[in-house]
Amino acid sequence: MTAKYRVGIIGCGSIANMHYRGYEPLASVEVVAIADPVRAALDEFGDKYGIDKRYADPRQMLDEENLDIVSNCTWHPLHAPLTIAACARKPKAVLCEKPMATCLRECDEMIMVAKRSDVKLAIAHQRRFNAAWNEARELIMSGAIGQPLHVIAKGGQGLLNDCSHYLDMMRYMMGNAQVEWVMGNLERKTERYERDTPIEDRSAGIIQFDNGAQGLLLQELGQRYHPDHGYHGQGGVFHGSDGLLEFDERHVRLLSGKSGGWEEREIEGEDASIGQARELVDWIEAKSEHRGRAENGRAAIEIIMAIYESARRHEVVKMPLMTKDSPIALMIEEGALPVERPGRYDIRAFLLRGESMRGEET
């Protein structure tokens, strides 16, 4: 059977493997081409999966391959320009890695180009398809802990990277709840970068949702949860009016007025990357809307930028956020975050190849 949808992947680093594994089991799609300016990465990925069409220039791939679906698996600063480039060629759908972009302006440009080109744009917050997350969501939405009052999440590696999942999680677990205001602060004493994007050393944010719940995000400020069975990725703790829920990517524990003690839920489900890809095809075919649609990816970025803006302006930030550029970039440019321990370093430099130490050198 000939695949119905032709897929191209831009960026052949580690995350591209998850995208490929998501597409591979689907009979209606085939990854036909890949692009990456780093020849070693391009050939390693192509050889691993038997993909012959290989391009150093992603725009050449977009122009020549007549793609139906494009996965953008590049580093953060390239999410906006290469998603815009992909949408301009009018495939049926684009799946861009998280974080959606590095500021709200880029998010809005991505959404605008997708709409004017009639392209379905989704952001790869793949944990929305994780079985444990969806078990936790079903419990919360069904009232198992009563009215959600507080949600606590602890992450690392900067707000844009690891913590974008946690902020997306808070909204997703409560039916994509809207945010009313944000208050936050950050510390940046070192020249810390993450995939060529300046990030903070640590940060914290308080998020007020329109359903009355408040979220607390701690980044590099304390240990994560589930010490009894180890750490298995992102999750959090929900306090409700009638119970408590703890979860990560493998476990869900419920304590409520009806449970009579801690109840460990059994978790079963398919790989999140497969679910993400399948729902993208269903969205193309008008069977369902993709739960990772761009507006949800933008919402996570808006919360992150609001935490930064609260730190920049020393005030509660009401939504919608009006500052479209990155407040942390503005603070660095304005000298409001003076470095006390000089020496630029990238916490993801281990992803580079050869002699490269910075993303722009590849």
Side-chain angles (χ1 to χ4, degrees):
M1 176 182 175
T2 303
K4 188 175 181 180
Y5 302 113
R6 295 168 54 83
V7 179
I9 296 176
I10 303 175
C12 296
S14 58
I15 198 65
N17 291 276
M18 295 180 65
H19 283 240
Y20 184 89
R21 289 197 295 267
Y23 294 125
E24 187 178 30
L26 306 182
S28 61
V29 303
E30 180 184 3
V31 178
V32 298
I34 54 177
D36 196 305
V38 180
R39 192 73 212 185
L42 186 68
D43 287 341
E44 180 181 303
F45 192 88
D47 291 347
K48 182 177 181 179
Y49 297 113
I51 303 169
D52 295 329
K53 297 289 188 69
R54 306 174 189 182
Y55 295 85
D57 182 353
R59 289 175 174 82
Q60 182 183 0
M61 179 186 75
L62 294 170
D63 287 336
E64 295 183 4
E65 290 297 334
N66 190 30
L67 299 170
D68 299 297
I69 300 172
V70 178
S71 271
N72 183 355
C73 301
T74 58
W75 282 21
H76 308 342
L78 294 176
H79 287 179
L82 288 179
T83 294
I84 289 170
C87 288
R89 272 70 175 183
K90 298 185 177 181
K92 291 179 173 62
V94 173
L95 178 62
C96 177
E97 255 307 309
K98 65 84 201 163
M100 181 173 179
T102 62
C103 65
L104 277 185
R105 173 180 50 78
E106 291 178 343
C107 292
D108 291 340
E109 290 171 351
M110 293 162 73
I111 290 173
M112 178 177 62
V113 173
K115 286 183 176 178
R116 78 185 185 199
S117 300
D118 195 25
V119 176
K120 298 184 185 302
L121 175 59
I123 308 304
H125 281 287
Q126 78 277 7
R127 286 167 182 82
R128 285 180 171 240
F129 299 86
N130 174 268
W133 274 38
N134 281 296
E135 175 69 17
R137 184 179 189 271
E138 184 175 337
L139 288 167
I140 292 168
M141 296 295 289
S142 67
I145 61 170
Q147 173 65 31
L149 301 175
H150 302 98
V151 51
I152 303 171
K154 298 181 181 181
Q157 303 177 33
L159 289 176
L160 277 174
N161 181 39
D162 189 42
C163 293
S164 67
H165 283 302
Y166 291 103
L167 295 169
D168 183 63
M169 172 273 291
M170 292 182 185
R171 295 188 62 251
Y172 181 59
M173 293 294 159
M174 297 186 291
N176 293 323
Q178 299 301 304
V179 176
E180 294 182 342
W181 55 260
V182 172
M183 188 170 188
N185 209 343
L186 65 88
E187 173 188 307
R188 191 176 193 267
K189 303 291 187 180
T190 71
E191 292 182 84
R192 194 182 194 206
Y193 284 73
E194 194 267 315
R195 278 177 268 212
D196 211 26
T197 304
I199 62 170
E200 68 283 358
D201 295 328
R202 54 188 59 87
S203 57
I206 302 169
I207 303 101
Q208 178 66 53
F209 294 97
D210 63 355
N211 65 352
Q214 285 190 340
L216 174 63
L217 177 69
L218 302 175
Q219 191 269 128
E220 306 282 6
L221 289 168
Q223 298 299 313
R224 307 186 196 197
Y225 294 101
H226 300 294
D228 294 337
H229 50 63
Y231 171 67
H232 296 289
Q234 283 89 350
V237 177
F238 273 82
H239 300 159
S241 59
D242 192 36
L244 182 68
L245 185 73
E246 294 183 352
F247 68 97
D248 61 16
E249 291 176 61
R250 296 188 190 176
H251 302 90
V252 177
R253 294 205 308 160
L254 172 67
L255 178 65
S256 70
K258 296 179 181 179
S259 66
W262 282 108
E263 176 188 346
E264 186 89 20
R265 308 288 288 200
E266 293 187 8
I267 305 301
E268 294 182 357
E270 70 178 352
D271 182 275
S273 295
I274 298 173
Q276 176 176 252
R278 178 180 287 109
E279 194 162 283
L280 191 65
V281 172
D282 287 346
W283 195 20
I284 291 171
E285 297 179 350
K287 296 177 181 177
S288 67
E289 185 178 76
H290 201 277
R291 69 193 74 177
R293 62 189 178 89
E295 287 76 8
N296 286 325
R298 182 192 187 279
I301 298 299
E302 186 175 25
I303 300 171
I304 291 169
M305 295 301 140
I307 293 173
Y308 288 153
E309 183 71 343
S310 179
R312 186 175 83 95
R313 297 179 61 86
H314 310 292
E315 64 184 19
V316 170
V317 173
K318 295 182 179 180
M319 298 299 211
L321 178 63
M322 302 307 294
T323 301
K324 300 300 182 182
D325 283 332
S326 168
I328 189 172
L330 293 173
M331 284 188 281
I332 293 171
E333 182 180 341
E334 295 164 356
L337 294 173
V339 171
E340 296 184 4
R341 293 178 282 280
R344 173 175 168 150
Y345 66 103
D346 196 307
I347 64 173
R348 288 287 175 126
F350 64 87
L351 295 173
L352 297 169
R353 296 167 184 267
E355 300 178 10
S356 299
M357 297 303 297
R358 297 185 185 180
E360 66 266 24
E361 296 173 0
T362 59

